[in-house]
Amino acid sequence: MNQTFTFSRRQLFGGLALSGLSGGLLSVLNAEKKSIPGRIRLQKGMTILFQGDSITDAGRQNRKSPKVNDQKSMGNGYAGMAASALLASRSSWNLNIFNRGISGNKVHQLDARWQSDCLDHRPDVLSILIGVNDIWHGLTGRYDGTVQRYENDYMALIERTRMALPKVQLVICEPFVLKCGAVDEKWFPEFDHYRAVARKVASQNSATFVPFQEMFDRALSFAPAQHWARDGVHPSHHGSALMADFWLQAVRG
Amino acid sequence: MNQTFTFSRRQLFGGLALSGLSGGLLSVLNAEKKSIPGRIRLQKGMTILFQGDSITDAGRQNRKSPKVNDQKSMGNGYAGMAASALLASRSSWNLNIFNRGISGNKVHQLDARWQSDCLDHRPDVLSILIGVNDIWHGLTGRYDGTVQRYENDYMALIERTRMALPKVQLVICEPFVLKCGAVDEKWFPEFDHYRAVARKVASQNSATFVPFQEMFDRALSFAPAQHWARDGVHPSHHGSALMADFWLQAVRG
């Protein structure tokens, strides 16, 4: 037998279960996943939907009728990078991946378009990254929202989603900022409260939580804030690649 | 305190209580890893070195004295992206990551600088991506190498490495091209023979093999060749992110 581990013979190191930071541990858990709430169980033929604001949107095209598994419809951000990695590593799984993030959105704007842009897709896995505009547009005087409204709106959106899609597997991503560009001291400590709400929404809904803020905080030892997001909010390609990696660690079994 | 493990249980998994399971599962995982020849066993404190040509180099700075775990010294390509993901996801592991790839290199040029640029680092994990210039510079009349010389040089380089570093864990990356830009039909089928050599080098040395060509071939269903590498040889940020993901899948335990 060829001793070299030949990736190509299996999808994503399938049986060997060695993906990710905690992927080793997680993957050993694969067989037991059904007993673990809050872990994504990715299966063949599933539909995965990314939702959010500009960070998710990332310049995607074909907005009115996005094509499945298509880079132009997925944009240039973490969603597109994560999608390509999933599709390339599980090419026989017939996954169906969409991105319906829209630049500028806050939670209540997701809600306003949720039927057509989320529920009608009937996603098996739904990933949401939302919150930075809920605070940012307040700081710039364009919105009178509060952290309490963010929590109320977010909890209601997830409840609506779970009512319509009882089996949906949720990925809640932590809103994040880098302290550069548009992000100054005025954001704090309020922004930390928004992050805590996202974590609470995940926890109360047995969702998988992707800790992007902690990830970027750690990444500052490798490169300064501007490397990850020049304006402090919108990730560079490098920031997006890092996000895709952490998202994939959370989702891939 | 192992912050990474805390992170992986409590944050990445959204509040799951896995503490009761972790000990037994980790033991299973460790046993599994030891039984897989050619699999990377990443451990705390290890030194990881990337070697190769321009694809690995990717514009890195501080060439004469590269700094450890430093983005400028790691460049903008897959090596830097993979390094940042490893460092952010295992921040308490005290990994030491270097990149010594140099643009334009062929195997014999690695050999010429191997003592200072590889062996002196005493890497625990050594990742090599080399080969595209061995054929490309031949096609453009700047080099009279053959696939046989590529094989001989590569095998000798690995033998030299294993003599000097008997415990080194090897990652051999598959050379790849996208059929666009500078890459036309003249490259084939010869290029496939170069790829086969890299796979053979990996196999005969129980190295982990990262199948970048197969990865990019699959990725063409998501986006055209130019999305991944405009000139067919040097990856875009998107191509680099995809490479980083596949490299990490191969290396992370």
Side-chain angles (χ1 to χ4, degrees):
Chain A
M1 180 181 166
N2 185 341
Q3 286 199 323
T4 300
F5 183 77
T6 306
F7 176 86
S8 58
R9 295 294 172 259
R10 288 176 182 258
Q11 304 292 323
L12 186 65
F13 303 95
L16 293 177
L18 289 172
S19 68
L21 143 75
S22 29
L25 176 59
L26 273 189
S27 302
V28 174
L29 285 168
N30 256 350
E32 308 168 38
K33 269 191 192 172
K34 288 178 184 172
S35 67
I36 301 171
R39 284 296 308 158
I40 299 303
R41 283 173 287 125
L42 205 58
Q43 295 174 355
K44 293 184 179 181
M46 279 188 165
T47 294
I48 301 169
L49 174 65
F50 289 91
Q51 265 291 4
D53 54 32
S54 57
I55 299 167
T56 304
D57 184 337
R60 66 188 177 87
Q61 301 173 31
N62 309 321
R63 290 194 169 218
K64 289 188 179 173
S65 51
K67 296 176 188 168
V68 67
N69 303 341
D70 170 59
Q71 191 275 325
K72 284 194 166 60
S73 301
M74 290 291 299
N76 294 308
Y78 76 96
M81 288 180 175
S84 66
L86 267 186
L87 294 169
S89 58
R90 306 197 181 196
S91 59
S92 67
W93 277 42
N94 299 315
L95 298 173
N96 303 290
I97 312 183
F98 294 94
N99 180 1
R100 301 300 295 260
I102 289 190
S103 186
N105 270 195
K106 296 174 278 290
V107 178
H108 73 87
Q109 291 159 320
L110 293 186
D111 187 66
R113 60 187 182 83
W114 209 235
Q115 186 64 45
S116 60
D117 287 7
C118 175
L119 305 181
D120 286 352
H121 279 285
R122 303 201 66 74
D124 299 290
V125 176
L126 169 62
S127 177
I128 305 175
L129 170 57
I130 198 78
V132 73
N133 292 318
D134 296 72
I135 175 173
W136 196 8
H137 292 183
L139 291 170
T140 56
R142 299 155 60 190
Y143 181 57
D144 60 355
T146 62
V147 68
Q148 188 60 54
R149 178 171 180 191
Y150 176 63
E151 178 171 341
N152 294 345
D153 287 356
Y154 210 163
M155 288 287 188
L157 183 74
I158 299 302
E159 184 177 356
R160 176 184 176 189
T161 306
R162 295 180 67 185
M163 290 287 287
L165 304 168
K167 294 183 179 175
V168 71
Q169 300 184 68
L170 292 169
V171 180
I172 303 289
C173 300
E174 184 179 31
F176 61 90
V177 291
L178 285 296
K179 292 182 179 177
C180 62
V183 178
D184 58 20
E185 292 306 319
K186 288 198 298 291
W187 287 64
F188 305 96
E190 191 180 3
F191 185 69
D192 298 326
H193 303 322
Y194 281 80
R195 293 197 295 113
V197 164
R199 186 181 292 266
K200 182 177 174 184
V201 169
S203 175
Q204 292 198 2
N205 290 282
S206 298
T208 293
F209 184 69
V210 186
F212 283 142
Q213 185 66 62
E214 179 167 352
M215 176 195 78
F216 278 121
D217 288 347
R218 293 181 178 192
L220 293 175
S221 69
F222 183 69
Q226 292 81 357
H227 177 75
W228 306 111
R230 188 172 300 271
D231 69 358
V233 172
H234 298 96
S236 64
H237 286 303
H238 294 281
S240 297
L242 192 59
M243 292 172 68
D245 179 68
F246 269 60
W247 191 92
L248 286 163
Q249 287 184 62
V251 168
R252 279 201 289 223
Chain B
M1 177 180 165
N2 183 338
Q3 291 189 327
T4 300
F5 194 63
T6 302
F7 162 84
S8 67
R9 290 197 314 220
R10 295 189 182 164
Q11 289 161 356
L12 192 54
F13 307 136
L16 290 178
L18 297 178
S19 56
L21 303 172
S22 58
L25 287 163
L26 284 174
S27 301
V28 170
L29 178 64
N30 284 336
E32 181 184 9
K33 277 199 272 191
K34 284 176 185 168
S35 69
I36 303 170
R39 289 290 310 160
I40 299 301
R41 281 172 287 125
L42 204 58
Q43 295 175 356
K44 291 183 179 183
M46 279 188 165
T47 294
I48 302 170
L49 175 63
F50 289 91
Q51 266 291 4
D53 54 32
S54 57
I55 299 166
T56 303
D57 185 336
R60 66 187 177 88
Q61 301 173 31
N62 310 321
R63 291 194 168 216
K64 290 188 178 172
S65 51
K67 297 175 188 167
V68 67
N69 302 340
D70 170 59
Q71 191 275 325
K72 285 193 165 59
S73 300
M74 289 293 298
N76 295 309
Y78 76 96
M81 288 179 175
S84 66
L86 268 186
L87 293 168
S89 58
R90 306 197 179 197
S91 60
S92 69
W93 277 43
N94 298 315
L95 299 173
N96 303 290
I97 313 183
F98 295 93
N99 180 1
R100 301 300 295 260
I102 289 191
S103 185
N105 269 196
K106 296 174 279 290
V107 178
H108 73 89
Q109 292 160 318
L110 293 186
D111 187 66
R113 59 186 183 84
W114 209 235
Q115 186 63 47
S116 61
D117 288 6
C118 175
L119 304 182
D120 287 352
H121 278 286
R122 304 201 66 75
D124 300 291
V125 176
L126 169 61
S127 176
I128 305 174
L129 170 57
I130 197 77
V132 74
N133 292 318
D134 297 72
I135 176 173
W136 197 9
H137 292 182
L139 291 170
T140 56
R142 300 156 59 190
Y143 181 58
D144 61 356
T146 61
V147 68
Q148 188 60 53
R149 178 170 180 193
Y150 176 65
E151 178 171 340
N152 295 346
D153 287 356
Y154 210 163
M155 288 287 189
L157 184 74
I158 299 302
E159 185 177 355
R160 176 184 176 190
T161 306
R162 295 180 67 185
M163 290 287 286
L165 305 167
K167 293 182 180 175
V168 71
Q169 301 185 67
L170 293 169
V171 180
I172 303 288
C173 301
E174 185 178 32
F176 62 88
V177 289
L178 284 294
K179 293 183 180 177
C180 62
V183 178
D184 58 20
E185 291 307 318
K186 287 199 299 292
W187 287 63
F188 305 95
E190 191 180 4
F191 185 70
D192 298 326
H193 302 322
Y194 280 80
R195 292 197 295 114
V197 165
R199 187 181 289 266
K200 183 177 173 184
V201 170
S203 174
Q204 292 197 2
N205 290 282
S206 298
T208 293
F209 184 69
V210 186
F212 283 142
Q213 185 66 61
E214 181 166 351
M215 175 195 79
F216 278 121
D217 289 347
R218 292 181 181 189
L220 293 176
S221 69
F222 183 69
Q226 293 81 356
H227 177 74
W228 307 110
R230 188 173 298 273
D231 70 357
V233 171
H234 297 96
S236 64
H237 286 301
H238 294 281
S240 297
L242 192 59
M243 291 173 67
D245 178 67
F246 269 59
W247 190 92
L248 287 162
Q249 288 184 63
V251 168
R252 278 202 288 223

Short mmCIF file of all heavy atoms in Angstrom, two decimals, chain B residues 1 9 41-42 46 50 64 69 89 111-112 129 154 156 159 170 177 183 188-189 194 198-199 217-218 225 243 246 253:
data_model
loop_
_atom_site.label_atom_id
_atom_site.label_comp_id
_atom_site.label_asym_id
_atom_site.label_seq_id
_atom_site.Cartn_x
_atom_site.Cartn_y
_atom_site.Cartn_z
N MET B 1 -1.82 27.33 31.07
CA MET B 1 -3.20 27.08 30.64
C MET B 1 -3.28 27.03 29.12
O MET B 1 -2.71 27.86 28.42
CB MET B 1 -4.10 28.21 31.15
CG MET B 1 -5.55 28.08 30.69
SD MET B 1 -6.53 29.45 31.32
CE MET B 1 -7.97 29.28 30.29
N ARG B 9 -13.29 24.46 22.75
CA ARG B 9 -14.47 23.84 23.34
C ARG B 9 -15.57 24.84 23.60
O ARG B 9 -16.71 24.62 23.26
CB ARG B 9 -14.10 23.19 24.68
CG ARG B 9 -13.24 21.97 24.51
CD ARG B 9 -13.26 21.15 25.77
NE ARG B 9 -13.08 21.95 26.96
CZ ARG B 9 -12.35 21.56 27.98
NH1 ARG B 9 -11.73 20.42 27.93
NH2 ARG B 9 -12.25 22.31 29.03
N ARG B 41 2.27 15.07 12.47
CA ARG B 41 1.90 15.16 13.88
C ARG B 41 2.42 16.48 14.40
O ARG B 41 3.60 16.63 14.70
CB ARG B 41 2.49 13.98 14.67
CG ARG B 41 1.70 12.70 14.49
CD ARG B 41 2.41 11.51 15.11
NE ARG B 41 3.57 11.14 14.30
CZ ARG B 41 4.80 11.06 14.77
NH1 ARG B 41 5.06 11.33 16.02
NH2 ARG B 41 5.80 10.72 13.98
N LEU B 42 1.55 17.44 14.45
CA LEU B 42 1.92 18.78 14.86
C LEU B 42 1.89 18.84 16.38
O LEU B 42 0.93 18.40 17.01
CB LEU B 42 0.91 19.77 14.28
CG LEU B 42 1.37 21.21 14.09
CD1 LEU B 42 2.60 21.28 13.19
CD2 LEU B 42 0.23 22.02 13.49
N MET B 46 6.84 23.32 17.89
CA MET B 46 7.49 22.89 16.64
C MET B 46 7.86 24.07 15.74
O MET B 46 7.23 25.13 15.79
CB MET B 46 6.59 21.93 15.88
CG MET B 46 6.65 20.50 16.40
SD MET B 46 5.75 19.36 15.31
CE MET B 46 6.39 17.79 15.91
N PHE B 50 8.46 26.73 5.35
CA PHE B 50 7.98 26.65 3.97
C PHE B 50 9.15 26.90 3.03
O PHE B 50 9.91 27.86 3.22
CB PHE B 50 6.91 27.71 3.71
CG PHE B 50 5.59 27.45 4.38
CD1 PHE B 50 5.32 27.94 5.65
CD2 PHE B 50 4.60 26.71 3.74
CE1 PHE B 50 4.10 27.70 6.27
CE2 PHE B 50 3.38 26.46 4.35
CZ PHE B 50 3.13 26.97 5.62
N LYS B 64 17.11 38.35 4.44
CA LYS B 64 18.36 37.88 5.03
C LYS B 64 18.17 37.36 6.45
O LYS B 64 18.87 36.45 6.88
CB LYS B 64 19.40 39.01 5.02
CG LYS B 64 19.89 39.31 3.59
CD LYS B 64 21.05 40.27 3.57
CE LYS B 64 21.53 40.51 2.13
NZ LYS B 64 22.55 41.58 2.05
N ASN B 69 7.11 33.96 12.64
CA ASN B 69 5.68 34.26 12.82
C ASN B 69 5.34 35.70 12.47
O ASN B 69 4.56 36.35 13.17
CB ASN B 69 5.27 34.00 14.28
CG ASN B 69 5.54 32.57 14.71
OD1 ASN B 69 5.69 31.69 13.88
ND2 ASN B 69 5.58 32.34 16.01
N SER B 89 -5.23 29.90 15.45
CA SER B 89 -6.03 28.82 16.03
C SER B 89 -5.26 28.04 17.09
O SER B 89 -5.86 27.28 17.85
CB SER B 89 -6.52 27.87 14.92
OG SER B 89 -5.44 27.33 14.19
N ASP B 111 18.84 23.33 -3.49
CA ASP B 111 19.99 22.58 -2.97
C ASP B 111 21.17 23.51 -2.67
O ASP B 111 21.88 23.33 -1.67
CB ASP B 111 20.39 21.51 -3.99
CG ASP B 111 21.46 20.59 -3.44
OD1 ASP B 111 21.17 19.86 -2.47
OD2 ASP B 111 22.60 20.63 -3.94
N ALA B 112 21.35 24.50 -3.54
CA ALA B 112 22.51 25.38 -3.38
C ALA B 112 22.45 26.23 -2.12
O ALA B 112 23.48 26.71 -1.63
CB ALA B 112 22.63 26.28 -4.62
N LEU B 129 7.24 23.23 -2.04
CA LEU B 129 6.50 23.32 -3.31
C LEU B 129 7.49 23.79 -4.36
O LEU B 129 7.90 24.95 -4.36
CB LEU B 129 5.33 24.32 -3.20
CG LEU B 129 4.63 24.68 -4.51
CD1 LEU B 129 4.10 23.45 -5.24
CD2 LEU B 129 3.48 25.67 -4.26
N TYR B 154 15.36 16.23 -6.98
CA TYR B 154 14.38 16.27 -5.88
C TYR B 154 14.64 15.11 -4.91
O TYR B 154 14.67 15.30 -3.67
CB TYR B 154 12.97 16.20 -6.45
CG TYR B 154 11.90 16.92 -5.64
CD1 TYR B 154 10.66 17.23 -6.22
CD2 TYR B 154 12.10 17.29 -4.31
CE1 TYR B 154 9.67 17.88 -5.51
CE2 TYR B 154 11.10 17.95 -3.59
CZ TYR B 154 9.89 18.23 -4.19
OH TYR B 154 8.90 18.88 -3.49
N ALA B 156 17.41 13.58 -4.41
CA ALA B 156 18.67 13.82 -3.71
C ALA B 156 18.50 14.87 -2.62
O ALA B 156 19.08 14.76 -1.52
CB ALA B 156 19.74 14.25 -4.71
N GLU B 159 16.82 13.22 0.25
CA GLU B 159 17.75 12.31 0.94
C GLU B 159 18.71 13.11 1.82
O GLU B 159 18.94 12.76 2.98
CB GLU B 159 18.53 11.48 -0.07
CG GLU B 159 19.41 10.43 0.60
CD GLU B 159 20.13 9.54 -0.41
OE1 GLU B 159 19.86 9.69 -1.62
OE2 GLU B 159 20.96 8.72 0.04
N LEU B 170 7.74 15.64 6.50
CA LEU B 170 7.75 16.28 5.19
C LEU B 170 6.36 16.48 4.62
O LEU B 170 5.52 15.57 4.68
CB LEU B 170 8.56 15.43 4.21
CG LEU B 170 10.06 15.32 4.48
CD1 LEU B 170 10.67 14.23 3.60
CD2 LEU B 170 10.74 16.67 4.21
N VAL B 177 -0.54 24.09 -12.48
CA VAL B 177 -0.77 25.25 -13.35
C VAL B 177 -2.25 25.34 -13.67
O VAL B 177 -2.99 24.35 -13.58
CB VAL B 177 0.02 25.16 -14.68
CG1 VAL B 177 1.51 25.34 -14.46
CG2 VAL B 177 -0.27 23.87 -15.42
N VAL B 183 0.36 29.71 -19.63
CA VAL B 183 0.31 28.25 -19.72
C VAL B 183 -0.54 27.82 -20.91
O VAL B 183 -1.75 28.06 -20.93
CB VAL B 183 -0.26 27.64 -18.42
CG1 VAL B 183 -0.37 26.13 -18.53
CG2 VAL B 183 0.61 28.04 -17.23
N PHE B 188 2.01 20.50 -21.96
CA PHE B 188 1.47 19.16 -21.74
C PHE B 188 1.86 18.21 -22.87
O PHE B 188 1.98 18.65 -24.00
CB PHE B 188 -0.06 19.23 -21.59
CG PHE B 188 -0.47 20.19 -20.52
CD1 PHE B 188 -0.80 21.51 -20.85
CD2 PHE B 188 -0.49 19.79 -19.19
CE1 PHE B 188 -1.15 22.40 -19.86
CE2 PHE B 188 -0.84 20.70 -18.20
CZ PHE B 188 -1.17 22.01 -18.53
N PRO B 189 2.01 16.93 -22.59
CA PRO B 189 1.79 16.28 -21.28
C PRO B 189 2.99 16.37 -20.34
O PRO B 189 2.95 15.78 -19.27
CB PRO B 189 1.53 14.83 -21.68
CG PRO B 189 2.39 14.63 -22.89
CD PRO B 189 2.35 15.95 -23.63
N TYR B 194 6.05 15.96 -14.47
CA TYR B 194 6.64 16.65 -13.31
C TYR B 194 5.77 16.45 -12.07
O TYR B 194 6.26 16.19 -10.97
CB TYR B 194 6.83 18.15 -13.61
CG TYR B 194 8.05 18.46 -14.44
CD1 TYR B 194 8.04 18.28 -15.82
CD2 TYR B 194 9.23 18.91 -13.86
CE1 TYR B 194 9.16 18.55 -16.60
CE2 TYR B 194 10.36 19.19 -14.62
CZ TYR B 194 10.32 19.02 -15.99
OH TYR B 194 11.43 19.27 -16.75
N ALA B 198 6.68 14.61 -8.32
CA ALA B 198 6.45 15.14 -6.96
C ALA B 198 5.68 14.14 -6.12
O ALA B 198 5.99 13.88 -4.94
CB ALA B 198 5.72 16.48 -7.02
N ARG B 199 4.68 13.53 -6.72
CA ARG B 199 3.89 12.52 -6.00
C ARG B 199 4.77 11.33 -5.63
O ARG B 199 4.67 10.78 -4.51
CB ARG B 199 2.70 12.08 -6.85
CG ARG B 199 1.72 11.16 -6.14
CD ARG B 199 0.58 10.76 -7.08
NE ARG B 199 -0.32 11.86 -7.36
CZ ARG B 199 -1.45 12.09 -6.66
NH1 ARG B 199 -1.77 11.32 -5.65
NH2 ARG B 199 -2.24 13.11 -6.99
N ASP B 217 -8.14 21.86 -10.29
CA ASP B 217 -9.00 21.29 -11.34
C ASP B 217 -10.45 21.25 -10.87
O ASP B 217 -11.38 21.54 -11.62
CB ASP B 217 -8.51 19.89 -11.72
CG ASP B 217 -7.20 19.92 -12.50
OD1 ASP B 217 -6.80 21.01 -12.97
OD2 ASP B 217 -6.56 18.86 -12.63
N ARG B 218 -10.62 20.87 -9.61
CA ARG B 218 -11.98 20.84 -9.06
C ARG B 218 -12.55 22.24 -8.90
O ARG B 218 -13.75 22.47 -9.10
CB ARG B 218 -11.98 20.16 -7.70
CG ARG B 218 -11.69 18.68 -7.75
CD ARG B 218 -11.74 18.11 -6.35
NE ARG B 218 -11.45 16.69 -6.33
CZ ARG B 218 -11.60 15.93 -5.25
NH1 ARG B 218 -12.02 16.48 -4.13
NH2 ARG B 218 -11.32 14.65 -5.28
N ALA B 225 -10.25 29.69 -14.60
CA ALA B 225 -8.81 29.61 -14.29
C ALA B 225 -8.25 30.95 -13.85
O ALA B 225 -7.46 31.03 -12.89
CB ALA B 225 -8.06 29.09 -15.51
N MET B 243 -5.30 27.25 -1.55
CA MET B 243 -4.10 26.45 -1.25
C MET B 243 -3.86 26.35 0.25
O MET B 243 -3.54 25.29 0.79
CB MET B 243 -2.87 27.08 -1.92
CG MET B 243 -2.87 26.99 -3.43
SD MET B 243 -1.48 27.93 -4.15
CE MET B 243 -0.07 26.96 -3.58
N PHE B 246 -6.17 23.77 1.74
CA PHE B 246 -5.80 22.37 1.50
C PHE B 246 -4.51 22.01 2.24
O PHE B 246 -4.37 20.89 2.73
CB PHE B 246 -5.67 22.11 -0.01
CG PHE B 246 -6.97 21.65 -0.63
CD1 PHE B 246 -8.10 22.44 -0.55
CD2 PHE B 246 -7.06 20.43 -1.26
CE1 PHE B 246 -9.31 22.02 -1.10
CE2 PHE B 246 -8.26 19.99 -1.80
CZ PHE B 246 -9.39 20.79 -1.73
N GLY B 253 -3.68 18.48 12.87
CA GLY B 253 -4.17 17.23 13.45
C GLY B 253 -5.35 17.46 14.36
O GLY B 253 -5.71 18.57 14.65
#
